Amino acid sequence: MPREQLKRALSALHQELEAGGELAEEDRAALLNAADEIRETLAGESAVPPSEGDAPLSGRVSAMIEEFEATHPKFAEILSNVSEALANLGI
């Protein structure tokens, strides 16, 4: 069930990104990279393991939530759903 929750949240994220909206290109790229990394993690095929200094995936998603809360609340809400699903999966 958490895996399906995560897939739905990622789908919602892609729909919002496709809808356009006012989003800086660097923010759009960061969201797309995060979504790709989550999909790779789910598939068990992460191409590049995180460096020792990198924050865990869930920590990076949480940081993105904080970053988007004021400027893009819809993305923050979707990322919150992603974060919850990651936690439910133990990622």
Side-chain angles (χ1 to χ4, degrees):
M1 183 67 100
R3 196 174 279 270
E4 287 303 314
Q5 176 189 8
L6 185 53
K7 287 180 182 180
R8 284 191 305 271
L10 287 173
S11 178
L13 177 61
H14 277 284
Q15 287 175 352
E16 275 301 308
L17 287 168
E18 288 175 8
E22 295 186 23
L23 190 63
E25 192 56 41
E26 63 191 31
D27 291 339
R28 182 178 305 284
L31 288 167
L32 287 171
N33 287 339
D36 288 344
E37 185 177 353
I38 292 165
R39 286 187 199 281
E40 290 171 359
T41 299
L42 275 178
E45 57 187 42
S46 187
V48 179
S51 301
E52 193 172 302
D54 283 350
L57 179 57
S58 60
R60 292 193 306 273
V61 171
S62 294
M64 291 178 81
I65 292 169
E66 289 180 25
E67 181 180 327
F68 286 111
E69 273 181 327
T71 56
H72 303 290
K74 183 65 177 174
F75 285 110
E77 178 184 341
I78 293 169
L79 288 170
S80 180
N81 293 337
V82 168
S83 180
E84 180 181 334
L86 288 172
N88 290 340
L89 289 168
I91 298 174

